[in-house]
Amino acid sequence: MITAILRRAGAGLLVLWAAATAAYLALLAAPGDTVDAIVGDGADTPGIRAQIIQEWHLDRSAVVQYLDFLLRAAHGDLGRSYLLQRPVSAVIGSQLAPTLKLAVAAAVFGVVLALLFAVTARRLTSTAGLILVSTPPFLIGIILLSIFSFRLGWFPVSGDRGFAALVLPAITLGLPIAGTLAQVLRDGLDRALDEPFAVTARARGLRESGVLIRHALKHALLPAVTMLGWSFGVLIGGTVIVEQVFGRPGLGQVTVQAVNSSDLPVVLAVVILAAAVFVVINTVTDLAYLLIDPRLRRS
Amino acid sequence: MIRVEDLRVTFQLPRRTVDAVRGVSFEIEPGECVAIVGESGSGKSVTARSLVGLAGPGARVDAVRLEVDGQDARRFAPRDWRRLRGGFAGLVLQDALVSLDPLRTVGAEISEVLRVHGERSRSARTRQAHRLLEEVHVPEPQRRAGQYPHQLSGGLRQRALIASALAAAPKLLIADEPTTALDATVQAQILRLLAERRAAGQTLLLISHDLAVVAQLADRVLVMKDGRIVESAPTKALLTGAVHTYTRTLVEAAAGRRRATGPAPGPVVVEATALRKVYGDRAVVRDVDVTVRRGEIVGLVGESGSGKTTVAQLLFGLAEPTSGQVRFEGQRFSGVPERARRPLRRRLQFIAQDPLSAFDPRWTVRRIVAEALPRGASPAPFLERVGLGEDVLDRYPRQLSGGQRQRVAIARAIAPRPSLIICDEPVSALDVSVQAQVLDLLAEIREQDGTALLFISHDLGVVRDLADRVLVMHDGRVVEQGPASAVFDRPAHEYTRELLAAVPTLEVPA
């Protein structure tokens, strides 16, 4: 048990390291000079440039900078933002909450909608799901905005004030998840309902809804959980777009800004954070398997 | 209790309609044990399930009379059926590993029946579940109730399934192939359990493809073929004086028939000495010696978990023995790289229990057999040898019956002219009547080609009918071996005697 946990943790660290390194290399290869990025729109004189190089230790070789970055990251120090001149952890920290709120709301909405659809309207699921999956989120967002915000005025157009502001972005982000998830669930339900144990359950006098909820649903959850883990990746990517469309603060906005201005430390931090979320989600997924399927538990 | 007149069930499939049941009439009186016997596709299961309104999705059920528990079931709404299910009739299906919900404990499954049938109190349900498990002789019912089907042995979970079917004290117990997935000794135990229920007054409807299984229990047997009842008679009368030819084939197949022994055995084909295989800290095979000579059929029998399949894997070079060695046609076959084994591979063939999963589903029969032949050689002669026409050449495995598939597997196995074919439960998935034909075919191939067969099976009846020599495995060891007649007629080992006693046999009254 303990070795299993240690192995998991080790693998997680490896993933984090790989993600950070890949991002580091990609940014290194990107056009543009770090000094330019730090100077930004500010005054640009040789003196200032020299000062920047000295202050940020940019005179060291790329390898040394990389190792230094790793060492600091290992201690939890993600450096300072070139652009905002604040510690990265503070930048991320202030923007994390709105994004998290959005992601969780979208996930909950997606799961609930998928469950409702798969359980009550299995026949409809396929078509509805396909439409939802094949529509890009920004389009859904714009359609929702134009109907519910501009025309009906039920929800604010942008910002992050209160629950009302969360509704449309969460729906935008959650709908595609609901679409895929509902399809996976429906497929799993159909398959489970064909199994002999479903016949046995019916032969006990159980209602069809009872067979569905008490037996088939748990079987359908297994592939759905895998799907949900994957969806979180989509969520992280999706927040970037949705936050833009709805003008919400959050990591998405920060990321777009950081990438546009080559703010290396912030981009790296976002990548590491995303990788960490992935590791956590995958671990949770694996644990959920064990919870759902006793056959996977080792005695 | 049940009155059925001219029952017809049709399935509306996307492209065609299938008449599964075409006009069946029968009655079941309280306290009776009635058996429906027939091969797969004969409509026996559909007939039985129609009695509880579970003929299947897309089924259309018509009848002149369909009386269930004194009510006209033709006009039943879903809720009427639900009231009868579990309470009036309990259903036991083939394999409890999949017929009980694998994600729920057996206790939860039993208590669900009680809940559906009105027991509100959770603790009362738990108590009753324990009592029910005890009634079907599950030891330590408290502990077992908290376990999942996969944690129980085949026999225990089948008992748990029966307990769940009996939970609401149904007047009729329908058992659809209740022992087909089980080893012989376990099958015997389950049959004993059913006999016990019957003695206690339980009305039973048994469904099986094996006449030998139901003959011990049933008062009356209905023989079904192609959706019709071809013969219906009290068991004893059916065994002695079957009128219909099909029934006679069934009786004959169930009684078993010793096939001719082959020519005198030739040189040694495969020789394994002191084989031992350890997985983790469990020795699965311990000190097993096997020799098979040319033209010989050697039976390897034992129950699941006895190590017989592992022995087959070791002989076939799919697994390396922990110690001991295998020689094939005089050359080392174990402890050498696969490269060294490959030239010999054509001389060593394999037939699996379920050819459907051993064939590539996207390949036609032509391609499947041709793969085993030199480029350009026609597979047709080999199909002809196994009794298949050219019309199957362009079909896919799914489009063949179980018997046809196994014939294709045999055609593929004999195509490279092997000196040894290892057959792992080659007929266990087949109906009894089809089993007999496949066994005939195997005996004929040995006779004509002198091919040696290592025949692995848990079914002693089958091995007795075919093998020259028998090895009995138990707990990874060969506990008894010798000529088939000696082992079967004068078993020396306690375990062999136990196995033999469990084989259901038709004792046709003189």
Side-chain angles (χ1 to χ4, degrees):
Chain A
M1 189 63 193
I2 288 174
T3 45
I5 292 172
L6 284 179
R7 198 177 304 153
R8 267 228 90 93
L13 282 178
L14 198 70
V15 169
L16 288 183
W17 168 79
T21 305
Y24 197 93
L25 288 175
L27 290 168
L28 213 60
D33 182 43
T34 313
V35 182
D36 286 337
I38 298 172
V39 170
D41 298 332
D44 189 1
T45 66
I48 289 176
R49 292 191 85 93
Q51 198 190 334
I52 286 174
I53 289 176
Q54 202 194 358
E55 190 188 327
W56 295 87
H57 306 293
L58 295 175
D59 48 351
R60 298 173 304 173
S61 75
V63 177
V64 173
Q65 288 193 45
Y66 165 70
L67 290 176
D68 182 53
F69 153 72
L70 275 191
L71 199 70
R72 283 164 182 277
H75 288 90
D77 177 10
L78 293 166
R80 288 165 59 85
S81 161
Y82 293 160
L83 191 69
L84 304 166
Q85 307 286 343
R86 285 166 55 206
V88 171
S89 46
V91 175
I92 301 264
S94 64
Q95 302 297 316
L96 190 58
T99 297
L100 220 54
K101 228 178 357 181
L102 174 60
V104 169
V108 169
F109 171 74
V111 170
V112 170
L113 190 68
L115 278 174
L116 275 177
F117 245 97
V119 171
T120 57
R122 271 190 298 139
R123 308 257 163 274
L124 262 172
T125 304
S126 180
T127 328
L130 203 62
I131 294 171
L132 289 181
V133 171
S134 48
T135 316
F138 74 87
L139 188 61
I140 299 178
I142 290 170
I143 293 171
L144 289 178
L145 266 180
S146 66
I147 298 177
F148 294 101
S149 296
F150 295 129
R151 185 152 312 168
L152 298 172
W154 291 358
F155 300 105
V157 175
S158 68
D160 179 32
R161 287 177 308 279
F163 180 73
L166 191 62
V167 173
L168 289 186
I171 292 177
T172 306
L173 203 52
L175 274 179
I177 293 176
T180 346
L181 206 58
Q183 285 195 344
V184 172
L185 273 176
R186 188 201 61 133
D187 196 49
L189 284 175
D190 282 353
R191 212 168 308 166
L193 288 174
D194 270 349
E195 297 273 337
F197 65 79
V199 177
T200 310
R202 289 188 194 107
R204 287 176 189 149
L206 222 63
R207 286 163 193 282
E208 201 53 31
S209 58
V211 179
L212 198 81
I213 289 166
R214 290 177 169 268
H215 292 271
L217 194 57
K218 220 170 169 187
H219 290 256
L221 277 182
L222 277 175
V225 162
T226 315
M227 192 65 232
L228 196 62
W230 175 84
S231 300
F232 261 95
V234 178
L235 268 179
I236 294 172
T239 48
V240 176
I241 295 165
V242 170
E243 282 171 6
Q244 289 287 327
V245 171
F246 289 92
R248 282 176 61 84
L251 277 187
Q253 295 272 23
V254 170
T255 312
V256 171
Q257 236 172 53
V259 170
N260 279 338
S261 52
S262 305
D263 195 348
L264 192 96
V266 174
V267 177
L268 281 175
V270 170
V271 169
I272 293 176
L273 185 69
V277 169
F278 251 107
V279 169
V280 170
I281 295 288
N282 268 311
T283 312
V284 170
T285 310
D286 286 356
L287 289 178
Y289 277 162
L290 296 186
L291 209 63
I292 296 171
D293 194 340
R295 289 169 295 185
L296 301 174
R297 294 173 212 154
R298 296 271 165 125
S299 54
Chain B
M1 188 177 267
I2 298 274
R3 264 171 229 290
V4 178
E5 222 179 297
D6 201 24
L7 174 74
R8 286 165 193 279
V9 184
T10 29
F11 287 94
Q12 208 73 48
L13 299 182
R15 274 190 225 143
R16 61 208 166 98
T17 42
V18 175
D19 299 312
V21 179
R22 321 168 179 217
V24 159
S25 308
F26 63 96
E27 286 167 15
I28 302 174
E29 302 296 337
E32 233 189 346
C33 175
V34 176
I36 304 182
V37 173
E39 52 198 68
S40 40
S42 62
K44 56 187 194 305
S45 282
V46 176
T47 303
R49 289 182 193 189
S50 301
L51 301 180
V52 285
L54 286 174
R60 230 193 73 180
V61 180
D62 286 312
V64 171
R65 194 214 274 264
L66 183 57
E67 228 177 84
V68 180
D69 200 19
Q71 302 163 59
D72 184 0
R74 288 177 305 166
R75 310 244 176 281
F76 268 9
R79 52 175 306 165
D80 300 321
W81 279 121
R82 277 204 302 275
R83 243 194 350 258
L84 283 184
R85 288 179 200 151
F88 164 72
L91 183 64
V92 176
L93 296 178
Q94 187 171 349
D95 184 0
L97 191 58
V98 287
S99 300
L100 286 171
D101 191 335
L103 304 186
R104 306 179 78 198
T105 62
V106 296
E109 288 283 90
I110 296 171
S111 103
E112 177 175 85
V113 190
L114 300 167
R115 187 183 58 77
V116 171
H117 292 275
E119 178 56 69
R120 292 276 173 80
S121 141
R122 183 183 286 265
S123 61
R125 290 202 298 260
T126 312
R127 267 199 314 278
Q128 279 203 56
H130 294 164
R131 182 184 54 75
L132 282 157
L133 283 172
E134 210 172 326
E135 257 172 46
V136 295
H137 312 302
V138 170
E140 306 175 81
Q142 272 90 346
R143 190 165 75 87
R144 297 302 181 185
Q147 290 185 317
Y148 294 90
H150 74 278
Q151 294 173 310
L152 302 178
S153 69
L156 283 185
R157 57 175 177 254
Q158 200 67 18
R159 286 170 194 274
L161 180 62
I162 292 174
S164 80
L166 289 173
K171 294 181 191 164
L172 173 67
L173 184 68
I174 302 174
D176 191 350
E177 303 275 9
T179 64
T180 306
L182 303 174
D183 279 330
T185 49
V186 183
Q187 166 170 294
Q189 292 162 14
I190 297 296
L191 289 177
R192 225 173 293 143
L193 173 65
L194 290 175
E196 201 182 294
R197 304 306 308 186
R198 189 185 156 238
Q202 178 75 51
T203 313
L204 273 174
L205 176 60
L206 286 180
I207 319 291
S208 179
H209 71 280
D210 191 348
L211 194 54
V213 165
V214 300
Q216 309 170 355
L217 276 174
D219 302 308
R220 258 184 327 124
V221 178
L222 315 175
V223 180
M224 277 192 80
K225 185 172 168 41
D226 298 329
R228 293 194 179 85
I229 294 180
V230 295
E231 190 156 3
S232 152
T235 312
K236 209 176 259 176
L238 193 84
L239 296 184
T240 46
V243 182
H244 201 278
T245 25
Y246 178 69
T247 316
R248 265 188 247 131
T249 3
L250 277 186
V251 173
E252 194 181 290
R257 168 166 45 90
R258 178 87 190 110
R259 276 142 188 99
T261 47
V268 171
V269 176
V270 72
E271 183 177 26
T273 38
L275 280 187
R276 194 177 166 80
K277 181 68 183 176
V278 181
Y279 285 113
D281 51 3
R282 220 173 86 81
V284 185
V285 172
R286 326 180 195 195
D287 302 312
V288 168
D289 298 304
V290 186
T291 311
V292 184
R293 293 168 176 276
R294 193 170 158 70
E296 208 181 17
I297 301 183
V298 175
L300 185 59
V301 298
E303 299 191 89
S304 32
S306 62
K308 55 191 195 307
T309 295
T310 309
V311 168
Q313 286 174 344
L314 295 174
L315 292 179
F316 201 69
L318 291 177
E320 280 293 329
T322 310
S323 65
Q325 71 161 326
V326 180
R327 298 183 81 83
F328 180 71
E329 293 191 332
Q331 302 185 44
R332 282 191 62 176
F333 204 65
S334 66
V336 294
E338 180 61 25
R339 196 160 19 86
R341 278 195 284 253
R342 207 164 289 136
L344 296 170
R345 283 264 180 229
R346 297 183 62 78
R347 315 269 307 140
L348 178 61
Q349 293 295 315
F350 189 80
I351 297 174
Q353 172 174 1
D354 175 18
L356 195 57
S357 49
F359 292 154
D360 187 327
R362 285 159 205 265
W363 283 24
T364 59
V365 169
R366 182 194 302 278
R367 198 168 164 203
I368 288 168
V369 180
E371 193 195 23
L373 289 166
R375 196 174 292 272
S378 163
F382 294 97
L383 288 174
E384 199 190 315
R385 273 204 71 188
V386 298
L388 292 175
E390 297 208 357
D391 53 313
V392 302
L393 273 174
D394 292 308
R395 288 206 229 160
Y396 292 92
R398 278 218 164 274
Q399 300 170 316
L400 304 174
S401 71
Q404 284 175 322
R405 277 199 288 268
Q406 206 53 288
R407 283 172 194 272
V408 172
I410 294 171
R412 179 171 73 169
I414 61 172
R417 307 210 162 277
S419 54
L420 175 68
I421 303 177
I422 295 177
C423 317
D424 193 358
E425 306 271 6
V427 296
S428 304
L430 303 176
D431 288 323
V432 184
S433 50
V434 184
Q435 276 186 11
Q437 297 162 10
V438 171
L439 293 179
D440 283 338
L441 179 61
L442 288 173
E444 185 189 306
I445 280 160
R446 182 271 294 268
E447 180 85 42
Q448 291 175 0
D449 296 3
T451 314
L453 298 181
L454 181 69
F455 194 97
I456 299 164
S457 182
H458 71 277
D459 186 340
L460 270 81
V462 167
V463 173
R464 179 180 51 201
D465 292 350
L466 190 67
D468 309 317
R469 217 148 48 74
V470 180
L471 286 84
V472 182
M473 277 193 78
H474 182 49
D475 267 345
R477 284 181 213 283
V478 173
V479 294
E480 181 162 6
Q481 62 174 309
S485 50
V487 171
F488 285 108
D489 298 341
R490 297 176 300 280
H493 196 274
E494 176 61 28
Y495 178 70
T496 317
R497 278 198 285 270
E498 224 174 278
L499 274 184
L500 277 170
V503 176
T505 42
L506 267 195
E507 295 189 5
V508 180

